[in-house]
Amino acid sequence: MANDLKTSEPTDTKSASLARVQAVPWLIVIALMGAVAWLGWRAFYYQEEGDPVGSAMLAFEKQNALTVFSSRFEVVAESEDTRGVLGVPILQSRQATIVPASVEYRLDLSGMDRDNFAWDAEGETLTVTLPQIQTSKPNIDEAQARVFTEGAWVTRDASTDLARNNSQQAERKASAFAKNPEILAMAREAAVAAVQQNLAIPMQVAGYGDVKVDVRFEGQSTPAGN
């Protein structure tokens, strides 16, 4: 009996030591995972308490530009060409082109800083001042164009000139249409809705509750849409 008691004691000690040795790597892994999670939260989600402007800026931090609206329409271009034989203008031709065009409306957010945001703590309102909307160069879809040509005899050079003139004319008309006040108003409304949506949810997640987001554009003294 005495011998049995003497031999069992070293075995328990060895088992306890082995368990501690095996547990050490796991404790290190768990500690590292906790540290990585904390650093990630600190880098991407943490904002100092009471800084709603910082929370709003974080929502825009990864976006240099925001496409808020796109417009697709058709433009009509018409050109005439006259060719002469021995100085006499006898070859006349005309070409009309109906071509689809599209334009995108974007906000350049790269230059926005704290001066573009204002926080009213009493009214729980965040005011955002946006830069003016920019329009992209019109995309003329000539592959889908419908072309109508008139003329008893249209030479190759005349056909080339007519097509080139109509293409240039279509781009000018598309650019002018893109700046139509009614279309720009629709683009601004879309921009306001997009910015409000992009900011309201992050502000709620950051713990500021149901924040009102007023959006205006540079040069406006009242929120857009008011």
Side-chain angles (χ1 to χ4, degrees):
M1 181 72 69
N3 291 336
D4 292 341
L5 290 175
K6 290 180 181 178
T7 55
S8 62
E9 196 170 354
T11 302
D12 292 341
T13 304
K14 289 182 180 180
S15 299
S17 299
L18 180 60
R20 284 195 295 269
V21 171
Q22 291 176 338
V24 169
W26 288 106
L27 291 174
I28 295 174
V29 170
I30 292 171
L32 288 175
M33 290 175 63
V36 170
W38 183 85
L39 288 174
W41 173 80
R42 180 84 182 183
F44 296 102
Y45 298 101
Y46 173 78
Q47 288 292 321
E48 291 185 7
E49 187 176 356
D51 186 19
V53 170
S55 297
M57 291 179 64
L58 183 64
F60 281 168
E61 194 174 46
K62 303 300 181 182
Q63 302 183 69
N64 288 327
L66 180 65
T67 299
V68 297
F69 189 72
S70 62
S71 177
R72 185 173 175 83
F73 48 89
E74 290 185 333
V75 292
V76 179
E78 297 183 60
S79 298
E80 294 183 353
D81 184 84
T82 300
R83 303 278 160 166
V85 177
L86 298 177
V88 180
I90 59 174
L91 298 179
Q92 295 182 336
S93 56
R94 176 175 172 269
Q95 187 177 91
T97 304
I98 302 174
V99 56
S102 59
V103 175
E104 290 186 342
Y105 298 77
R106 303 183 183 123
L107 288 172
D108 182 7
L109 306 177
S110 61
M112 293 187 66
D113 54 27
R114 295 188 72 92
D115 292 338
N116 295 98
F117 300 86
W119 171 245
D120 177 11
E122 183 177 349
E124 294 186 336
T125 301
L126 177 70
T127 301
V128 184
T129 303
L130 298 174
Q132 293 297 330
I133 289 179
Q134 299 177 352
T135 57
S136 66
K137 181 179 179 180
N139 179 24
I140 308 298
D141 190 359
E142 296 190 11
Q144 299 297 323
R146 288 168 286 167
V147 180
F148 307 90
T149 304
E150 295 179 355
W153 182 27
V154 182
T155 66
R156 180 179 299 177
D157 289 343
S159 179
T160 300
D161 288 346
L162 289 169
R164 181 175 60 251
N165 291 339
N166 278 354
S167 179
Q168 294 173 350
Q169 188 182 141
E171 185 170 335
R172 289 195 301 270
K173 287 188 174 183
S175 296
F177 182 83
K179 294 178 175 60
N180 182 294
E182 294 183 0
I183 303 297
L184 283 174
M186 294 172 62
R188 290 192 183 98
E189 289 178 4
V192 169
V195 170
Q196 287 176 334
Q197 182 177 2
N198 282 357
L199 289 179
I201 295 177
M203 294 291 284
Q204 290 178 1
V205 173
Y208 298 106
D210 190 11
V211 173
K212 180 182 178 183
V213 180
D214 280 343
V215 180
R216 64 190 64 187
F217 292 91
E218 290 178 352
Q220 288 184 326
S221 57
T222 58
N226 288 6

